[in-house]
Amino acid sequence: MRWIVQEDLYSEVGHASLLRVLEVMGLPHSVHRVVRDEGEPRLEPEVTVASGERVIVCGGYSLIRIARARGWTPGVHEVLDFEREREGWGDRMLNADAWVGSLSEVGPFEGVRFVRPVRDSKAFTGAVVDWEGLDTIRERVSGNRALGSDLAVVLASSKPIYGEYRTWVVSGRVVTASQYTMGSTVLYDADVPEGITAFAQECVDLWNPAPAYVLDVASTPDGLRIVEVNRINTAAWYHGNVGKIVEALEALDAS
């Protein structure tokens, strides 16, 4: 399978690890800038993909658009939206109590709320905001013709979180994990408690929404909860074992 990788999008050690792993494994790969002119995004340098060649991409949302437009397979491992995830995992979701609707429907509220897009669209990053903060998001999103004020969002109560962990799931199996926050502090650590990966695997065994994705887990006063699911193609690597992820994705494509 051919790997098309965006230039160091996240400025993190995982990006360099990915390129080393692809080189050591002898997998065809290339690194590109994503150029955003007035038209559709394009790659620089451009790439030619042979008919029938299998391609996977790693990068930002613009690279995802390119992969979709060109019909690369598997290209992107898509994920479902929050409502489907809540149906599948119920109270295991951190924001199982969330309201879902269009951004334009959200009325004034007191205090703070957690808000994020229903789908993994990268329209904006999920955040805890007050009413003024949400209004700022609304103005920014409304100025984007591709999104508009009818963007579907999740609105939930703010909840205390002790730590957050990313797990990579391929073919129904948690293949690696990394901590990425401790409270409000960014903390990347490959030494993840066994209970985190066990909980993630229990959730996957209960309901597995896609062949490959990242499942983020939070440690909270009420126990472990699923924060969200994101595309494996766009997710930051943190301190996950990149070699295991690549091996799993190669095996998935060969199956």
Side-chain angles (χ1 to χ4, degrees), residues 74-219:
V76 184
H77 287 287
E78 298 289 2
V79 294
L80 301 175
D81 62 35
F82 171 81
E83 289 184 288
R84 292 289 304 278
E85 294 160 10
R86 181 165 57 179
E87 289 175 7
W89 285 311
D91 289 343
R92 288 173 176 255
M93 299 287 293
L94 177 66
N95 294 314
D97 64 338
W99 172 88
V100 175
S102 69
L103 189 56
S104 60
E105 292 178 309
V106 181
F109 56 81
E110 295 182 357
V112 295
R113 299 286 189 278
F114 171 78
V115 62
R116 59 152 289 180
V118 168
R119 296 191 62 82
D120 180 24
S121 65
K122 305 304 179 189
F124 63 90
T125 301
V128 175
V129 298
D130 57 15
W131 170 246
E132 290 183 357
L134 183 67
D135 214 29
T136 299
I137 291 174
R138 195 200 319 264
E139 289 177 7
R140 186 170 71 249
V141 170
S142 296
N144 186 326
R145 293 181 181 178
L147 299 174
S149 60
D150 287 333
L151 177 73
V153 298
V154 174
L155 193 71
S157 60
S158 175
K159 303 172 182 69
I161 293 176
Y162 300 144
E164 292 180 87
Y165 305 82
R166 171 154 294 170
T167 67
W168 284 260
V169 181
V170 182
S171 299
R173 183 172 64 88
V174 176
V175 297
T176 186
S178 170
Q179 184 168 7
Y180 60 92
T181 71
M182 175 66 75
S184 59
T185 303
V186 173
L187 175 65
Y188 300 154
D189 192 345
D191 187 13
V192 173
E194 186 176 332
I196 300 295
T197 53
F199 172 79
Q201 189 63 60
E202 288 173 7
C203 294
V204 173
D205 291 342
L206 176 66
W207 182 67
N208 188 34
Y213 53 97
V214 296
L215 179 71
D216 291 347
V217 174
S219 174

Side-chain angles (χ1 to χ4, degrees), residues 9 22 130 223:
L9 183 67
L22 296 176
D130 57 15

Side-chain angles (χ1 to χ4, degrees), residues 25-87:
M25 293 181 66
L27 297 173
H29 63 280
S30 52
V31 180
H32 306 262
R33 290 177 58 230
V34 175
V35 180
R36 301 169 184 83
D37 295 329
E38 291 186 4
E40 288 296 306
R42 59 184 174 82
L43 295 177
E44 193 174 275
E46 193 47 82
V47 62
T48 300
V49 174
S51 176
E53 186 176 12
R54 306 285 288 177
V55 176
I56 189 169
V57 300
C58 293
Y61 190 67
S62 292
L63 182 56
I64 299 303
R65 288 174 58 188
I66 291 172
R68 289 171 177 163
R70 300 186 185 186
W72 289 338
T73 303
V76 184
H77 287 287
E78 298 289 2
V79 294
L80 301 175
D81 62 35
F82 171 81
E83 289 184 288
R84 292 289 304 278
E85 294 160 10
R86 181 165 57 179
E87 289 175 7

